[in-house]
Amino acid sequence: MRGTDPVVTGGTGQTPPVSPRWIRRPRLVGRLLAAREARLVVIAAPGGYGKSTLLAQWRADARERRAMAWLSVGRQDNDPVRLWTGILRAIGAAGARVPVDDLVAMLCVQGPDVTGVVLPLLLRRLARAARPVVLVLDDFHLLTDATALDQLRLLLSAPGPGHQLVLSSRQRPALPLARLRAAGQLVELGAEDLRFSATQVRALPDIVTAGLDGGQVHDLVARTEGWPAGIYLAALSLRGRSDPGTFLATFTGDHRHISDYLTEEVLAGCPPHERRFLLRTAVLDRFTAPLAAHLCGLSPARAERVLAHLAATNLFVIPLDEQRQWYRYHQLFGQCLRDVLSRAHPGLPVRLHRRAGAWLHEHGHVEQAIGHAVAAGDGGRATALLASSWLGYATTGRSATLLALIEAIGAETIGRDAAASVSTAWARTVTGDLPGAIAWLDAAESLGHDGPLPDGTASLKSAAALLRGMFLIDDLPQRLAESRLAAELEDDTASPWYAMARFSHGANLYLSGRHPEAVKVLEQAVRNPASTPLFTINALAVQSLTCTALGRHDQAATLATLGRDLVRRHHLTGSAQASIAFTAHAAVLTGLGRLAEARRDLDHAAGLRARVPGLSRWSAVVNVTELARWCLAAGDHDAARAACDQAGDLLAGLADGGYLARRVHEFRLALQPGGAPSPARAAAVASAGAAGAARPQALTGQERVVLGLLPGPLSIPQIAAHLHLSANTVRTHVRAVYRKLAVSSRQAAVEQARRHGLVPALGEPGTAPPPTGPRRDPPA
């Protein structure tokens, strides 16, 4: 049911059926049929003017041969991911043979790139469609999200003749209408076009049955100003009356009278079981027979019969699909029913909201269940649902919906619940609002929570350590301590948090330069079957970068390729949270000398990160550092200096920049003001981690830094002081250099390094700092 469920998608992708009771609009349908060359059709009029009815009649006309994709927009579609999921499904079902399944999958990931990836692919496929596509967005006035509106503007540039966007709205849409109007690419219909004429009103069956004469029909049209909803209601109210003239004399057709007559005439004339059905289902925006049956105490079969009868006899009960599975009430009628319910049964709406929420939650519709809990004033139920379900929204690209749910519940209500406060902290984190996340996490810790959290986290302490170790702390030693704590607390291998904690800890070990430990921890995350695709990808990427630092180049390439394959398989190419996979792949490509491909990956990673600027600075530093390395390999020293400066700015203010700071320092040494490095020197520095373990290029980045200082006058203790390392650490690096260069002395190491271009040849600008004293080294 969930694939086409309007409760899930926020609308329906199917054109509503045409009722034989509707007044035919052949003139207006003809105008729409003749507007094939227009890019945009706007039907803008207040509620009750028959906009959806006209569109359904247009779709049913045999002369319309184009594929029509229909989406009834809901307020929940202000989440762009939800909106485009509905649009894509509607286009896929329209019969134009436009493949959309993979595009829908691209949306169901954390941080999808709708504008940069999904929409360009859709536009290219529309250009190759078997038939032109007419995309109808009904109730467009409910769409107010600026990002979604900007994305829809791109559809107006859809290539190929005949493609058309049709908007049915209560107000003029915020789109470039003037430009399209001037270009002859816009068709507009308004309230004046949609008003009923006396001739059309005479054709209504109830008007015919009531025996109204021409004067009475003209009077009715004048009193309602041709407003279709008012005329339909008058027609309903005339059923069985012996004095239509008396009724018409008091009927004004304005909204106040409409409400009164819906109460006094329509509801009063319903059999008791129908009245009960209408009132109890009025709390639902959209509903199906099983849900209505649950609220009314009926069997599903009985509810289906009641619904079918109401839809056939009452024009304010509207089926939403051809199969007549989903229904809604006309907005005016629904509001009237809710008013009557509140007055007649003051306590019943709360109980109905609770019953509806329970049914929706049981059937997997958490978002709507939260809405009914809020409507029932049940803050505890709403926060419990939020705390148990937030991860599903965050990891499937629906962060906007998650934030909307949080706003609907309210900060005061959430602030009384530790688990919901943690959920809100995560929601703020994944959208880049780190100050907000810190505030909500502090609030959660002040409340306290015993035992596991509803989202499966082992404890509040573990959740706090995860958040701080991954996102909320920049200081590297503190990050490392928090991530270690999270890894200790998340010890259940069947939990996705197990892999997440180990990815976080492994990444911080990598940043700290503790690379052998990082490889082991990241391997646990990669191999954990409960891991989410995103964290498996990230663990593979950081493990690849770590192997590059260790000189394990073949392994690094294998891991980077596996990560990129998973990115494609899970449609994460547009996810900001997967950007590190492109950085790792670029690092491998740079080492192999495939610079053009590497630069594309680096630029793509940077573009993804720019979309969520508030995320941790560390992955940005990784990308910029790899960019500096790429610039060195490409011989662009000015760009390399700029990248080093950018990395330095990102690392500024940190007590410990870790491995990345040391790499940036290494690159600065290669670019010191004594003159531009020779091509051989630049290539050697840039290829730190290049393929070939038996060659000098297999030296790690830190070993290269030490090697670069060996030709100078500094002793080992002075080199250690210069690099802010211990003398023992430097001696360890020196021994590794000797082994990899197959030498046994400092002088031999320098000569071998010069032969391979790893340090400047004699006469070239050097990289060592000025002499500070005589060199007296103990044996390495």
Side-chain angles (χ1 to χ4, degrees), residues 45 97 178 191 250 261 326 427 474 521 557 616 621 626 647 697 719 742 747 777:
R97 295 204 294 274
T250 60
Y261 275 105
W326 287 91
D474 283 332
V521 173
S616 168
V621 178
E626 289 302 328
Q697 286 82 356
I719 290 175
Q747 183 60 39
D777 284 350

Side-chain angles (χ1 to χ4, degrees), residues 21 202-212 235 238-241 244:
R21 298 176 59 82
R202 287 193 194 97
L204 276 172
D206 288 316
I207 297 294
V208 173
T209 302
L212 297 188
L238 285 169
R239 292 178 184 175
R241 286 188 179 273

Side-chain angles (χ1 to χ4, degrees), residues 162-175:
H163 293 308
Q164 197 170 70
L165 178 61
V166 180
L167 308 178
S168 169
S169 175
R170 293 190 180 182
Q171 57 199 30
R172 291 162 61 87
L175 292 173

Side-chain angles (χ1 to χ4, degrees), residues 233 482 509 773:
L233 180 61
E482 294 286 352
L509 286 168

Side-chain angles (χ1 to χ4, degrees), residues 102-127:
D102 61 326
L103 301 184
V104 171
M106 289 180 188
L107 296 173
C108 298
V109 300
Q110 192 171 353
D113 187 355
V114 178
T115 303
V117 176
V118 177
L119 285 185
L121 286 172
L122 174 61
L123 291 175
R124 286 199 289 272
R125 293 179 188 184
L126 286 173

Side-chain angles (χ1 to χ4, degrees), residues 412-743:
E412 183 178 353
T413 300
I414 291 174
R416 293 194 291 266
D417 185 275
S421 296
V422 171
S423 304
T424 305
W426 277 111
R428 296 298 177 190
T429 297
V430 299
T431 55
D433 178 13
L434 299 192
I438 292 169
W440 278 109
L441 182 58
D442 290 345
E445 290 183 307
S446 70
L447 292 169
H449 182 90
D450 294 328
L453 295 180
D455 61 11
T457 316
S459 63
L460 174 58
K461 187 176 182 180
S462 173
L466 278 166
L467 277 161
R468 292 190 174 114
M470 290 179 67
F471 299 108
L472 302 186
I473 293 177
D474 283 332
D475 182 77
L476 188 52
Q478 292 184 47
R479 285 173 66 92
L480 187 60
E482 294 286 352
S483 64
R484 182 188 301 112
L485 175 61
E488 292 170 355
L489 295 172
E490 294 293 341
D491 57 359
D492 181 3
T493 57
S495 167
W497 301 102
Y498 175 92
M500 190 181 296
R502 275 144 190 82
F503 158 68
S504 174
H505 189 42
N508 286 326
L509 286 168
Y510 162 73
L511 294 172
S512 301
R514 295 165 59 175
H515 297 150
E517 295 174 73
V519 168
K520 293 178 182 178
V521 173
L522 291 165
E523 182 68 19
Q524 293 175 343
V526 168
R527 293 188 178 277
N528 182 250
S531 178
T532 65
L534 182 63
F535 280 98
T536 300
I537 289 165
N538 283 334
L540 283 166
V542 179
Q543 193 178 6
S544 173
L545 290 166
T546 309
C547 287
T548 294
L550 289 169
R552 303 174 186 175
H553 311 295
D554 291 343
Q555 186 180 359
T558 299
L559 293 166
T561 301
L562 285 173
R564 281 294 305 273
D565 288 345
L566 281 177
V567 165
R568 294 190 184 96
R569 187 185 312 165
H570 292 283
H571 308 289
L572 286 159
T573 55
S575 172
Q577 284 77 11
S579 65
I580 193 71
F582 294 92
T583 303
H585 197 247
V588 168
L589 293 174
T590 298
L592 294 173
R594 293 160 60 180
L595 298 183
E597 299 169 76
R599 185 57 188 260
R600 282 195 294 270
D601 275 354
L602 287 170
D603 289 347
H604 185 64
L608 291 176
R609 289 216 44 88
R611 292 176 41 236
V612 191
L615 290 177
S616 168
R617 77 169 74 183
W618 285 99
S619 61
V621 178
V622 173
N623 199 68
V624 175
T625 304
E626 289 302 328
L627 176 61
R629 175 177 169 231
W630 183 94
C631 293
L632 278 167
D636 189 344
H637 306 138
D638 289 340
R641 291 187 184 92
C644 288
D645 290 344
Q646 184 181 354
D649 290 342
L650 289 168
L651 293 168
L654 297 179
D656 184 354
Y659 170 65
L660 297 182
R662 295 193 290 274
R663 288 198 77 193
V664 172
H665 178 71
E666 172 189 356
F667 297 152
R668 290 191 190 278
L669 289 177
L671 295 165
Q672 65 179 0
S678 69
R681 172 64 177 156
V685 173
S687 63
R695 301 173 57 195
Q697 286 82 356
L699 272 63
T700 68
Q702 192 60 66
E703 290 163 359
R704 291 177 180 280
V705 173
V706 172
L707 175 59
L709 296 173
L710 292 182
L714 296 183
S715 66
I716 294 297
Q718 289 170 332
I719 290 175
H722 179 75
L723 297 178
H724 303 287
L725 300 172
S726 71
N728 285 337
T729 298
V730 172
R731 289 189 182 97
T732 299
H733 289 316
V734 170
R735 285 195 294 269
V737 169
Y738 287 3
R739 174 175 52 81
K740 292 179 179 180
L741 296 180
V743 297

Side-chain angles (χ1 to χ4, degrees), residues 76 137 185 193 216 578 664 680 686 705 748 766:
Q76 300 90 341
L137 299 181
Q185 293 291 305
D193 302 293
Q216 290 172 322
V664 172
V705 173

